């Protein structure tokens, strides 16, 4: 497959990192000497050695900044001078050809604000010396048209009813991306898990249409390391999910509705719209559908695997909610159980069978990068 990588000149990738410099370096090598601009925002205890940074192409911009995530993002915004911007996690990969496909979609359709593709998790098992894969954000594998509705209110409602957290990681027009991420300097961390992500995704979807193409773009790392949010020694993120919080925390919920409605009003001021009602309706839609993805999977399990397995998983999920993050991380890293997933490329084959385009050449390259990183022969 011949790819014109020069189209990546239109894109800036923003990669925050903290205490995971090996993974940041892995991604820097992957993107080095491509046409993309990669801005690395590192607040680890000490910076990466200058000689290592100099070994990369000029398209890699490394900023050592020991401020908070929010302040680092704010500091990077003036450096963005490309048409499009995309957030990237330090331990994850984007398939380059799929990123270019998204850039082309945005180039040809000015009504789109952002674009992304399908996602696959990769799991490294050092004992078997293999990389496995697992489906994730499976709603995106079908024709996902909820986020391309013309009406902003309808678009937000349908997206929240069919929620997947892709907008914050999509290729996005830089003008919209900058406004969205400027919000995080002014937003409040509410007392439920990933509150900043929910607020950003609501903003981005209300701002404009987001297209999902049927092409494998996003490879999410699972179990390679401890999640950054679990390394926040000074701030432990709430384990409460948004539905529990929405149903029980009336005072804070009112504050959340008020703040988010003001943000949406600033995007699209229409005196005929009740922005508080828009926020309430959208999160009620989330409760009725978006939050029910696990529930739907459980009903499927009950039908296919039987009631004993169903209640066993229910019990496991209940226990899992009660385990502190630090204990969960120890369990994850110990790999006490056998992994029973498809291999990395078999997972890609399964996506291909769903008519999802897969760039096998780039995928095999990524697989080899991960194998070499973990010194797996």
């Amino acid at each position: 497959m011949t790819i014109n990588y020069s189209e990546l000149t239109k894109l800036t990738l923003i990669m925050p990192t903290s205490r995971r410099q090996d993974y940041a370096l892995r991604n820097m090598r992957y993107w080095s000497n491509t046409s993309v601009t990669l801005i690395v925002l590192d607040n680890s205890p000490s910076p990466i050695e200058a000689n290592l940074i100099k070994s990369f192409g000029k398209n890699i911009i490394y900023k050592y900044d020991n401020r908070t995530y929010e302040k680092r993002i704010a500091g990077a915004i003036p450096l963005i001078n490309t048409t499009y911007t995309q957030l990237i996690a330090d331990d994850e990969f984007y398939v380059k050809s799929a990123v270019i496909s998204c850039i082309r979609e945005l180039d040809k359709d000015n009504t789109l604000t952002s674009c992304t593709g399908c996602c696959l998790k990769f799991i490294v098992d050092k004992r078997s010396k293999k990389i496995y894969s697992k489906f994730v954000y499976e709603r995106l594998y079908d024709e996902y048209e909820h986020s391309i509705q013309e009406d902003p209110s309808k678009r937000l409602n349908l997206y929240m009813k069919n929620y997947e957290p892709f907008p914050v990681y999509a290729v996005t027009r830089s003008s919209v991306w900058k406004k969205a991420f400027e919000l995080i300097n002014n937003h409040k961390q509410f007392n439920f898990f990933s509150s900043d992500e929910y607020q950003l995704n609501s903003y981005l979807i209300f701002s404009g249409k987001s297209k999902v193409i049927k092409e494998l773009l996003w490879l999410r790392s699972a179990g390679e390391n401890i999640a950054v949010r679990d390394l926040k020694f000074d701030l432990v993120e709430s384990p409460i999910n948004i539905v529990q919080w929405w149903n029980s925390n009336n005072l804070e919920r009112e504050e959340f509705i008020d703040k988010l409605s003001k943000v949406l009003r600033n995007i699209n001021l229409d005196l005929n719209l009740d922005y508080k009602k828009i926020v309430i309706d959208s999160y009620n839609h989330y409760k009725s559908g978006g939050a029910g993805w696990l529930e739907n999977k459980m009903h499927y399990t009950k039908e296919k695997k039987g009631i004993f397995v169903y209640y066993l998983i229910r019990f496991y999920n209940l226990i899992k909610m009660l385990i502190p993050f630090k204990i969960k991380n120890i369990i994850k890293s110990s790999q006490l159980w056998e992994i029973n997933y498809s291999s990395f490329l078999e997972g890609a084959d399964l996506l291909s069978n769903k008519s999802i385009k897969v760039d096998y050449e780039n995928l095999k390259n990524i697989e080899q990068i991960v194998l070499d990183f973990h010194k797996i022969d």
Side-chain angles (χ1 to χ4, degrees), residues 141-268:
Y141 297 169
D142 299 320
E143 298 297 332
Y144 191 92
E145 298 182 345
H146 314 293
S147 56
I148 56 173
Q149 303 298 313
E150 292 292 338
D151 180 77
S153 301
K154 183 179 180 181
R155 185 168 61 242
L156 182 58
N157 282 340
L158 284 173
Y159 166 70
M160 293 302 286
K161 191 168 185 177
N162 299 275
Y163 186 87
E164 299 289 16
F166 67 86
V168 72
Y169 295 103
V171 179
T172 305
R173 297 190 188 278
S174 292
S175 56
V176 175
W177 195 97
K178 289 178 182 181
K179 288 178 183 177
F181 279 84
E182 281 168 354
L183 286 175
I184 66 174
N185 267 326
N186 303 310
H187 87 301
K188 174 180 174 180
Q189 185 79 27
F190 289 92
N191 191 36
F192 61 88
F193 186 75
S194 270
S195 74
D196 51 351
E197 191 173 272
Y198 281 97
Q199 292 172 81
L200 278 167
N201 283 331
S202 297
Y203 177 94
L204 288 164
I205 288 294
F206 198 77
S207 292
K209 297 189 292 182
S210 184
K211 184 171 184 177
V212 179
I213 60 173
K214 294 198 72 173
E215 186 167 350
L216 178 59
L217 182 148
W218 186 10
L219 298 170
R220 296 218 75 169
S221 172
E224 276 192 292
N225 50 57
I226 298 171
V228 170
R229 58 169 37 105
D230 296 348
L231 293 173
K232 294 180 180 178
F233 300 108
D234 58 336
L235 176 63
V236 177
E237 189 165 20
S238 172
I240 300 170
N241 70 52
I242 187 172
V243 174
Q244 293 170 315
W245 174 85
W246 186 268
N247 289 337
S248 62
N249 200 328
N250 292 326
L251 289 177
E252 198 181 30
R253 184 181 66 194
E254 289 305 311
E255 184 183 1
F256 175 86
I257 292 167
D258 184 62
K259 285 183 177 295
L260 187 53
S261 63
K262 288 177 180 176
V263 167
L264 299 188
R265 185 182 297 112
N266 289 334
I267 299 171
N268 181 21

Side-chain angles (χ1 to χ4, degrees), residues 270-318:
D270 184 338
L271 298 177
N272 295 317
L273 292 179
D274 182 343
Y275 288 89
K276 284 191 176 182
K277 184 177 185 301
I278 290 171
V279 172
I280 293 167
D281 286 350
S282 67
Y283 279 82
N284 282 334
H285 274 85
Y286 176 84
K287 283 174 57 183
S288 68
W293 183 238
L294 178 61
E295 191 68 26
N296 291 338
K297 287 179 73 174
M298 290 305 298
H299 284 306
Y300 174 84
T301 299
K302 189 175 183 179
E303 290 176 8
K304 299 295 182 181
K305 300 290 181 70
I307 196 164
F308 175 75
V309 173
Y310 170 80
Y311 281 111
L312 191 64
I313 295 173
R314 280 282 192 196
F315 178 71
Y316 167 74
N317 288 335
L318 177 63

Side-chain angles (χ1 to χ4, degrees), residues 122-133 222 224 335 338-339 341-346 367 370-371 374-377:
F122 66 91
I123 304 154
V124 178
D125 180 19
K126 293 181 181 179
R127 290 181 305 173
S128 67
K129 297 185 177 182
K130 290 181 180 178
I131 303 175
Y132 295 92
S133 63
E224 276 192 292
Q335 291 188 338
E338 292 291 328
I339 294 177
Y341 299 129
S342 302
S343 74
F344 188 54
L345 293 179
E346 285 172 350
E367 181 184 40
V370 176
L371 289 170
H374 290 283
K375 297 179 172 59
I376 297 174
D377 297 326

Side-chain angles (χ1 to χ4, degrees), residues 12-29 31-32 37-44 47-48 53 56-57 59-66 72-73 75-76 79 86-91:
T12 296
L13 292 172
I14 302 292
M15 188 174 75
T17 187
S18 181
R19 301 172 185 264
R20 301 200 310 203
Q21 291 176 332
D22 287 346
Y23 291 90
L25 286 165
R26 182 175 76 178
N27 233 325
M28 291 157 77
R29 290 186 193 98
W31 291 104
S32 181
T37 298
L38 173 64
I39 301 176
V40 183
L41 308 173
D42 184 8
N43 81 336
S44 302
I48 295 172
I53 301 302
F56 299 124
N59 64 312
I60 308 296
I61 300 172
Y62 176 75
K63 295 290 182 183
Y64 180 71
D65 184 345
N66 58 11
R72 282 181 286 149
I73 292 285
L79 302 176
Q86 187 176 21
L87 186 70
I88 184 169
D90 57 8
D91 59 348

